[in-house]
Amino acid sequence: MRVGADRVDVQYRWPTTLRVPTRPPKLVYLDLNHWIGFAKALAGHADGHAYREWFDRCMALVQNGQVVFPISDAVYTEVSKIGQYRQRRDIREAIEALSHFVVVTSRPVIATHEVETLLDEAVGPNPVPINTMDYLDWGVARAFGMMGGFRVRDGDHADITNEVRATWPGGSDAFDAVVAAAELDLNRSVLDGPSADEEPQLRALGWDPTGTIAVTENRARQELEQVERFNADPRWRAGRIRDVVAAREVLIEINETLHRGLRERGAALDDVFGSPERTRGLLDSLPSFDVAVTLKMAYHRDPNHRWTTNDIHDIDALGSTMPYCDVVITDRAVAAHANATGLTDRLGTVVLARLDDLPAHI
């Protein structure tokens, strides 16, 4: 092992407060490009012909209870960038038919549970422990790490949902049906976005779909700035590149979570990370952190790699899915990096670029 350049050979610390579903069914995550292929197939588009058979085969896997095809917050964000309403709607129809809006929780939430497990072991239990939650859930709110669900509140903002449900005309089942229909409509509308006729009115009310996109663009710019730093001193690419990438990952992605966990335990950084060697081992034991750092290292080793927002979406999606799903099907370049860097071997996750290779892993 090259110190500071390679991952420390350490066992993963799997979060004790994140409930991962038992198998079967297997969890198979599809990148957006495959959902687009399915959408074209369902819409009768000529380019979707090759996907038609695969959509039917995947539907059979779902109906037989062999596979769940969850989506992530990255899918929601990427779909929102598509300009044409018809394309967004077609993708949503494919997602709804195959995934039924089953989602994996967001990478920041996963990272929080991983960091809390690390601190529990390194310092001691948190006096205000985080709630145990499911890795796999339903709906857009859960994909972004929010509670979700409709609640009824009175004029003083007190929650009166249970009272309204108990007195609802037709009974509580009728109330539940209304809420379920509303939640389904919400999930459809988030992916569909507004039609061309609806968009001007929504913008007049303050709707702005660019907020999340701007955040991702800023994160891509941060990586481009790091490219320039490596270019200015190329020795880092051949030396302690993992140390650099990991330090930036802490600062940008988990710094707030880490310091909050330490503060709640009355501990300081030195109580946990007493030396560079210990720091490397602890950070490399975090599954989603390892995915992000390893992939970013692979990209930064190539001085000609031009970072885009798609890279950020890919890394976020793989950070939340590679450690906890059975199969991830992404694009050819990302799959090549995931396999060449040893991530798939360490995590025991299959990462593919083609649906044709899926049957061998079900």
Side-chain angles (χ1 to χ4, degrees):
M1 185 192 80
R2 296 169 300 165
V3 176
D6 298 319
R7 179 183 180 270
V8 176
D9 186 14
V10 62
Q11 294 293 315
Y12 286 124
R13 284 180 170 83
W14 296 102
T16 57
T17 52
L18 190 66
R19 287 188 296 258
V20 178
T22 57
R23 308 311 201 265
K26 288 192 173 182
L27 305 186
V28 177
Y29 179 79
L30 303 178
D31 199 1
L32 180 64
N33 59 326
H34 298 292
W35 289 114
I36 291 174
F38 286 150
K40 289 179 177 179
L42 294 183
H45 195 286
D47 292 344
H49 177 74
Y51 274 88
R52 181 69 237 194
E53 179 184 353
W54 262 111
F55 181 83
D56 293 338
R57 293 175 72 177
C58 288
M59 281 293 294
L61 291 172
V62 172
Q63 292 166 353
N64 292 338
Q66 294 174 267
V67 172
V68 172
F69 292 95
I71 58 175
S72 69
D73 56 352
V75 170
Y76 282 100
T77 302
E78 289 184 281
V79 171
S80 72
K81 294 163 56 179
I82 297 173
Q84 294 189 15
Y85 171 77
R86 173 65 182 272
Q87 292 179 356
R88 297 193 303 267
R89 190 196 64 190
D90 288 347
I91 294 169
R92 186 268 300 167
E93 289 178 348
I95 287 173
E96 181 175 355
L98 193 58
S99 80
H100 304 294
F101 299 119
V102 173
V103 300
V104 301
T105 194
S106 68
R107 184 185 157 203
V109 171
I110 291 169
T112 297
H113 286 266
E114 292 178 353
V115 168
E116 281 294 302
T117 293
L118 182 154
L119 294 178
D120 281 347
E121 296 179 9
V123 181
N126 193 331
V128 284
I130 59 175
N131 293 327
T132 299
M133 65 175 293
D134 292 319
Y135 170 71
L136 206 65
D137 215 308
W138 185 89
V140 59
R142 302 304 293 170
F144 285 90
M146 297 180 287
M147 289 296 297
F150 289 109
R151 309 299 296 177
V152 182
R153 299 186 183 278
D154 63 17
D156 296 323
H157 302 289
D159 189 335
I160 57 170
T161 306
N162 291 336
E163 293 90 327
V164 172
R165 181 176 183 271
T167 59
W168 190 260
S172 57
D173 288 345
F175 176 85
D176 293 342
V178 170
V179 171
E183 290 180 342
L184 179 59
D185 285 344
L186 172 64
N187 278 274
R188 287 170 172 166
S189 65
V190 169
L191 282 170
D192 287 352
S195 66
D197 293 336
E198 296 167 335
E199 186 169 327
Q201 182 180 0
L202 286 175
R203 287 189 180 275
L205 294 172
W207 175 73
D208 181 6
T210 63
T212 303
I213 297 172
V215 171
T216 309
E217 289 175 344
N218 182 60
R219 292 171 66 197
R221 279 194 297 271
Q222 290 175 319
E223 299 305 329
L224 288 169
E225 291 166 359
Q226 184 58 41
V227 170
E228 295 304 314
R229 296 187 194 101
F230 281 139
N231 288 344
D233 190 352
R235 291 175 299 175
W236 285 102
R237 283 198 179 97
R240 292 169 50 199
I241 184 172
R242 189 174 182 96
D243 279 354
V244 175
V245 175
R248 294 183 69 252
E249 193 70 11
V250 170
L251 182 63
I252 296 171
E253 301 294 344
I254 67 170
N255 192 48
E256 182 179 345
T257 298
L258 181 60
H259 280 274
R260 183 177 62 247
L262 289 168
R263 186 171 59 251
E264 290 170 347
R265 290 170 172 83
L269 276 174
D270 287 345
D271 296 330
V272 182
F273 306 99
S275 67
E277 293 76 15
R278 179 170 170 78
T279 298
R280 294 185 185 105
L282 289 174
L283 293 176
D284 284 346
S285 73
L286 303 175
S288 68
F289 187 89
D290 180 31
V291 171
V293 170
T294 300
L295 290 176
K296 287 183 179 182
M297 279 175 54
Y299 293 161
H300 276 301
R301 278 202 168 104
D302 178 6
N304 297 315
H305 181 78
R306 186 68 180 177
W307 283 81
T308 68
T309 56
N310 284 340
D311 293 326
I312 303 301
H313 289 310
D314 288 340
I315 291 170
D316 281 348
L318 267 67
S320 61
T321 57
M322 270 194 70
Y324 302 100
C325 289
D326 300 288
V327 181
V328 173
I329 308 181
T330 181
D331 65 43
R332 190 176 303 276
V334 177
H337 283 304
N339 284 286
T341 56
L343 273 172
T344 52
D345 293 333
R346 290 199 293 272
L347 292 164
T349 305
V350 175
V351 178
L352 308 171
R354 305 187 317 149
L355 280 165
D356 290 345
D357 296 324
L358 177 60
H361 303 285
I362 297 302

